[in-house]
Amino acid sequence: MRPNAIAFDAYGTLFDVYSVSALAEDLFADKGAQLAVIWRDKQIEYTRLRTLCDQYADFWQVTGDALEYACEALGLDLTAAARDRLMGQYAALSAFPENVDQLHRLKEAGITLSILSNGTPWMLDQAITASGLGGYFEHVLSVDAVKQFKTAPQAYQMGPDALGCAAKDILFVSSNCWDICGATWFGYHTIWLNRYGHPMERLGVAPHHIGSSLKDVADYALGITA
Amino acid sequence: MRPNAIAFDAYGTLFDVYSVSALAEDLFADKGAQLAVIWRDKQIEYTRLRTLCDQYADFWQVTGDALEYACEALGLDLTAAARDRLMGQYAALSAFPENVDQLHRLKEAGITLSILSNGTPWMLDQAITASGLGGYFEHVLSVDAVKQFKTAPQAYQMGPDALGCAAKDILFVSSNCWDICGATWFGYHTIWLNRYGHPMERLGVAPHHIGSSLKDVADYALGITA
């Protein structure tokens, strides 16, 4: 396909959410990597439970709550100072190394680039700036505007509304397979950026294409890969 | 409280979902316990994603899908015979050992007992029979009737509808903390059966009481514990 617009998921797709692991390892010796995984899983779980029950709290709140749960689950003493440092790191995540070159290719080709994320506007601003991705995105859409997290249809609807075209004409990119399943069900043209070689979710729905880096996404969007 | 009615979650609360571990260990050597955990986590994840996206498939389907994912994630070769044996075991889970005595106490006291579960009617029938709990429950409510899994409000609404009283007058019992959070948000009087000493979820909501076995639940419902 040759899309007019691309909507990128942010966390895990553009920004490396496990880049907090290094700091976590500094703070909690050999449990940092495990903490990062539980933190991330619990964060996502809370977005779903809150959306299912219409009990929205924003992603910054949910991220802090998930961190506290993860520390308690691992028996780690989360001091106020450690909490501030980990949350601060989450607000300034690293981008994946190939990002800038590939976003540049896409932008040069005249494709409208956007982000559609569970993050708050403030978190997205911080992450975009910290990772040097400023200037690439015409729309930075936060589900905070609709108070429902992905994979709720109301969250995905923000893309067509902002971009002025049908979901099927927008290429939706995410490294999170569950996000890809939700977006495909919603009607987007989808590419799963399977960065970690995970199995496909068994949900009876499949992405239109699968890649392993943002270069694969750019090649696909530019028609270099069928 | 002295409730007129109690609604029990089934899987993990009355029936031990990890009782499949032994069979899984037989089939897959030292990866059985890990398989049981991933299987359960993925099963729950799929119920949420399908409900959020209005893509209901019943719990038997979701359970089989989750088993396939879990095996692939662990690099295990799931033969058709192994799949049949594991799914068959899931349809005949063990009850927790204290169940019968405690359900007997509650029933003798004139409290209406019911189940409100994500399971299909067929799965619940099988599990109740296999675990020797037949005859204790006046209502066995499956969310299959509303095609939305817990924690959707439509699922919780089945309790008041069937029992003919307000949610606040029904004691809702679950070992799954997320289920307790959803039920509390919905309006039930709740007791978290924290069988495994897990941390409380950080969702800004708390159960009315916490116990560690069905004896604690019965004591609470019969007014022996405040």
Side-chain angles (χ1 to χ4, degrees):
Chain A
M1 86 172 306
R2 180 65 164 76
N4 292 320
I6 301 179
F8 292 92
D9 170 56
Y11 296 99
T13 301
L14 296 174
F15 310 125
D16 185 357
V17 290
Y18 295 115
S19 65
V20 295
S21 293
L23 174 59
E25 292 278 351
D26 284 351
L27 293 168
F28 297 114
D30 60 342
K31 289 196 172 167
Q34 204 182 349
L35 176 63
V37 171
I38 297 177
W39 185 6
R40 171 66 174 167
D41 287 350
K42 192 54 68 170
Q43 176 198 49
I44 299 302
E45 183 180 0
Y46 286 174
T47 63
R48 293 173 187 161
L49 289 168
R50 286 186 171 279
T51 300
L52 277 168
C53 296
D54 200 17
Q55 296 283 341
Y56 182 80
D58 76 26
F59 201 59
W60 186 248
Q61 169 80 40
V62 162
T63 301
D65 291 344
L67 173 58
E68 289 176 13
Y69 180 96
C71 285
E72 187 177 345
L74 291 173
L76 303 172
D77 179 29
L78 182 67
T79 63
R83 190 187 195 283
D84 286 350
R85 286 186 66 192
L86 286 163
M87 290 296 285
Q89 186 75 15
Y90 206 96
L93 295 169
S94 313
F96 290 96
E98 81 277 14
N99 284 13
V100 169
D101 286 353
Q102 301 306 323
L103 292 173
H104 189 76
R105 281 176 72 200
L106 291 164
K107 197 172 171 69
E108 285 288 295
I111 299 173
T112 300
L113 306 182
S114 64
I115 289 174
L116 172 47
S117 169
N118 278 342
T120 66
W122 176 83
M123 290 173 77
L124 294 168
D125 264 4
Q126 293 281 313
I128 289 168
T129 303
S131 62
L133 300 185
Y136 287 105
F137 302 102
E138 278 189 43
H139 303 273
V140 178
L141 306 171
S142 162
V143 302
D144 196 57
V146 296
K147 312 289 188 216
Q148 306 229 37
F149 292 106
K150 295 187 279 184
T151 59
Q154 295 87 339
Y156 290 120
Q157 183 60 43
M158 294 186 74
D161 287 351
L163 294 163
C165 53
K168 70 178 174 51
D169 298 321
I170 301 170
L171 180 62
F172 187 92
V173 182
S174 182
S175 66
N176 300 296
C177 192
W178 54 266
D179 192 12
I180 285 297
C181 291
T184 309
W185 273 329
F186 182 80
Y188 284 98
H189 194 98
T190 52
I191 178 167
W192 178 26
L193 184 45
N194 187 8
R195 290 190 184 277
Y196 306 105
H198 285 165
M200 182 69 206
E201 299 292 357
R202 301 296 208 280
L203 285 164
V205 62
H208 297 86
H209 197 71
I210 299 176
S212 62
S213 77
L214 223 56
K215 178 173 185 304
D216 295 337
V217 174
D219 285 352
Y220 182 65
L222 298 173
I224 295 164
T225 315
Chain B
M1 86 172 306
R2 179 69 164 74
N4 292 322
I6 302 180
F8 292 91
D9 170 56
Y11 296 100
T13 302
L14 297 174
F15 311 126
D16 185 358
V17 289
Y18 295 115
S19 63
V20 294
S21 295
L23 174 59
E25 292 279 350
D26 284 351
L27 292 167
F28 298 114
D30 61 343
K31 288 194 173 169
Q34 202 181 351
L35 175 65
V37 171
I38 297 177
W39 184 6
R40 171 67 175 166
D41 287 349
K42 193 55 68 171
Q43 176 198 49
I44 299 301
E45 182 179 359
Y46 286 175
T47 64
R48 293 174 187 161
L49 289 168
R50 286 186 171 279
T51 300
L52 278 168
C53 295
D54 200 17
Q55 295 283 340
Y56 183 80
D58 76 27
F59 202 59
W60 186 249
Q61 169 80 40
V62 161
T63 300
D65 292 343
L67 173 58
E68 290 176 12
Y69 181 96
C71 287
E72 186 177 346
L74 291 173
L76 302 172
D77 180 28
L78 182 68
T79 62
R83 189 186 194 286
D84 286 349
R85 285 187 67 193
L86 285 163
M87 290 296 285
Q89 186 74 15
Y90 206 95
L93 294 170
S94 312
F96 290 96
E98 82 276 17
N99 285 14
V100 169
D101 286 352
Q102 301 306 322
L103 293 173
H104 188 76
R105 282 177 71 200
L106 290 164
K107 197 173 171 70
E108 284 290 294
I111 299 173
T112 301
L113 307 182
S114 63
I115 289 176
L116 172 47
S117 169
N118 277 342
T120 66
W122 175 83
M123 291 173 77
L124 293 169
D125 264 3
Q126 294 281 315
I128 288 167
T129 304
S131 61
L133 300 186
Y136 287 105
F137 302 102
E138 280 190 40
H139 303 273
V140 178
L141 306 172
S142 162
V143 304
D144 196 58
V146 296
K147 312 289 186 213
Q148 306 230 36
F149 292 106
K150 295 186 281 184
T151 60
Q154 293 88 339
Y156 289 120
Q157 183 61 44
M158 294 186 74
D161 286 352
L163 294 163
C165 54
K168 70 178 173 52
D169 298 321
I170 302 168
L171 180 62
F172 187 92
V173 182
S174 181
S175 66
N176 300 295
C177 192
W178 53 266
D179 192 12
I180 284 297
C181 291
T184 309
W185 274 329
F186 182 81
Y188 284 98
H189 194 97
T190 52
I191 179 167
W192 177 27
L193 185 43
N194 187 8
R195 289 189 185 278
Y196 306 106
H198 285 165
M200 181 69 207
E201 300 291 357
R202 301 296 207 281
L203 285 165
V205 64
H208 297 85
H209 197 71
I210 300 177
S212 64
S213 78
L214 221 57
K215 177 172 185 305
D216 295 336
V217 173
D219 285 351
Y220 183 66
L222 298 174
I224 295 164
T225 314

